[in-house]
């Protein structure tokens, strides 16, 4: 094989390797893009559904329950027969909501990383102080209305501080989720760009390989035509040479035959 042929073969081999690497890189980018896209779509789907453990919603419900409990206490009077039951029902809702906030695993993790834990403990302490009066008879409950109203008023500052801190926690969590989503979208954009670049370069390499192959085939066809032309020229030369030599040789051999048959001697 000629040095030019060796160089062309090495060039083809390098371009094939480059094409394989570019194709592998494009496939890897495509797989990563698909994975990140699924994560982004899943996170967007989560944003479209309400979370059961929404901290801000639970805190707002505690505020509402506390306000309704105070209204029920305001309606508590000796002549109101249904008022004690309404007070107990409102207290049970408030107590249940505060207990959920303190003991639920999803909230406990959040509360353990902020100042909310002490405020929730103050609210629970005030509720525990009111519990004996709530569980007493209707007469004792009506008699302890002022005490319950005072305790309910004392719950307002810690509940407001809880609401403010919960709003800040929810805002920080939302900001973190948005930053993570933005980072994933930026990564997805980068992967898509690299994938398109790899595909474009793959097309360029494939075009170079195609042109190189066409050039090699054209060179082989030209070499074959040259060989055929040279072979035809050699055949014509040999035919003409054979004809030019055969004519005088035939005459010479005929003359020798005639001399052989004659009576002439040396």
């Amino acid at each position: 094989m000629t040095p030019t042929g060796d160089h062309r073969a090495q060039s083809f081999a390098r371009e094939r390797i480059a094409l394989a690497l570019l194709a592998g890189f494009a496939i890897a980018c495509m797989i990563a893009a698909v994975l990140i896209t699924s994560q982004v779509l899943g996170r967007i789907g989560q944003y479209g559904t309400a979370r059961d453990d929404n901290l801000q919603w639970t805190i707002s419900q505690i505020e509402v329950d506390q306000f309704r409990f105070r209204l029920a206490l305001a309606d508590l009077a000796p002549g109101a027969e249904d008022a004690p039951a309404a007070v107990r029902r409102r207290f049970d809702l408030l107590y249940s909501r505060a207990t959920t906030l303190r003991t639920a695993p999803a909230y406990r993790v959040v509360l353990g990383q902020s100042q909310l834990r002490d405020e929730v403990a103050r609210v629970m302490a005030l509720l525990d102080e009111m519990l004996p009066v709530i569980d007493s008879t209707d007469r004792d409950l009506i008699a302890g209305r002022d005490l319950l109203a005072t305790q309910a008023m004392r719950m307002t500052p810690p509940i407001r501080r809880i609401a403010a801190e919960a709003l800040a926690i929810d805002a920080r969590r939302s900001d973190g989720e948005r930053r993570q989503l933005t980072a994933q979208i930026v990564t997805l954009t980068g992967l898509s760009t690299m994938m398109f670049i790899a595909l474009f370069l793959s097309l360029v390499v494939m075009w170079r390989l195609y042109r190189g192959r066409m050039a090699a085939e054209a060179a082989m066809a030209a070499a074959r035509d040259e060989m055929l032309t040279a072979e035809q020229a050699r055949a014509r030369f040999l035919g003409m040479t054979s004809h030019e030599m055969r004519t005088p040789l035939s005459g010479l051999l005929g003359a020798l035959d005639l001399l052989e048959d004659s009576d002439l001697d040396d």
Side-chain angles (χ1 to χ4, degrees):
M1 185 178 289
T2 61
T4 303
D6 292 338
H7 177 72
R8 186 180 292 114
Q10 293 176 0
S11 178
F12 285 168
R14 287 195 298 268
E15 289 182 350
R16 288 192 184 95
I17 294 173
L19 179 61
L21 292 176
L22 287 172
F25 179 73
I27 292 173
C29 290
M30 187 178 300
I31 293 173
V34 169
L35 293 176
I36 295 179
T37 301
S38 63
Q39 294 177 0
V40 171
L41 292 177
R43 191 170 295 276
I44 292 175
Q46 292 177 358
Y47 291 155
T49 57
R51 292 185 297 231
D52 294 335
D53 59 344
N54 189 289
L55 180 63
Q56 188 60 31
W57 182 85
T58 303
I59 298 299
S60 64
Q61 287 301 114
I62 290 180
E63 291 183 287
V64 172
D65 291 336
Q66 186 229 8
F67 181 73
R68 289 176 176 175
F69 176 64
R70 290 175 59 190
L71 290 178
L73 288 175
D75 295 335
L76 186 63
E81 297 180 358
D82 297 334
V87 169
R88 292 188 178 96
R89 184 169 59 253
R90 293 302 177 186
F91 179 84
D92 289 341
L93 289 174
L94 179 60
Y95 193 90
S96 175
R97 195 85 64 183
T99 303
T100 301
L101 183 64
R102 186 182 64 175
T103 59
Y107 301 141
R108 189 164 56 244
V109 174
V110 177
L111 296 177
Q113 300 174 354
S114 65
Q115 299 177 354
L116 292 180
R117 182 172 54 189
D118 296 336
E119 301 296 342
V120 174
R122 292 190 184 94
V123 172
M124 290 301 303
L126 290 172
L127 291 173
D128 289 337
E129 290 177 5
M130 289 188 285
L131 193 57
V133 180
I134 295 295
D135 291 338
S136 63
T137 62
D138 291 348
R139 172 182 284 182
D140 293 337
L141 179 60
I142 294 173
R145 184 186 67 173
D146 294 338
L147 176 61
L148 293 176
T150 302
Q151 298 289 67
M153 284 292 296
R154 290 177 58 191
M155 282 193 298
T156 301
I159 287 178
R160 288 179 178 176
R161 286 192 292 268
I162 290 172
E165 184 66 20
L167 182 62
I169 291 174
D170 193 67
R172 288 194 296 268
R173 183 171 61 180
S174 299
D175 290 339
E177 291 177 351
R178 282 194 294 270
R179 284 194 296 269
Q180 185 177 4
L181 182 61
T182 301
Q184 289 178 337
I185 293 175
V186 171
T187 303
L188 179 61
T189 304
L191 287 173
S192 301
T193 302
M194 290 188 291
M195 182 178 65
F196 284 122
I197 292 174
L199 291 175
F200 175 76
L201 294 177
S202 300
L203 291 175
V204 171
V205 173
M206 289 177 64
W207 174 248
R208 287 172 57 87
L209 287 173
Y210 174 75
R211 291 186 60 186
R213 182 174 180 180
M214 295 298 293
E217 290 180 354
M220 291 177 62
R224 182 190 60 193
D225 293 341
E226 290 179 1
M227 291 179 62
L228 289 175
T229 302
E231 184 66 24
Q232 292 174 358
R234 188 173 73 85
R236 286 196 301 271
F237 173 76
L238 290 177
M240 293 176 62
T241 303
S242 174
H243 175 73
E244 295 298 332
M245 292 180 65
R246 188 167 56 249
T247 300
L249 284 176
S250 297
L252 182 59
L253 291 175
L256 290 176
D257 289 338
L258 291 173
L259 288 175
E260 232 176 65
D261 295 337
S262 68
D263 295 334
L264 295 177
D265 53 13
D266 294 336

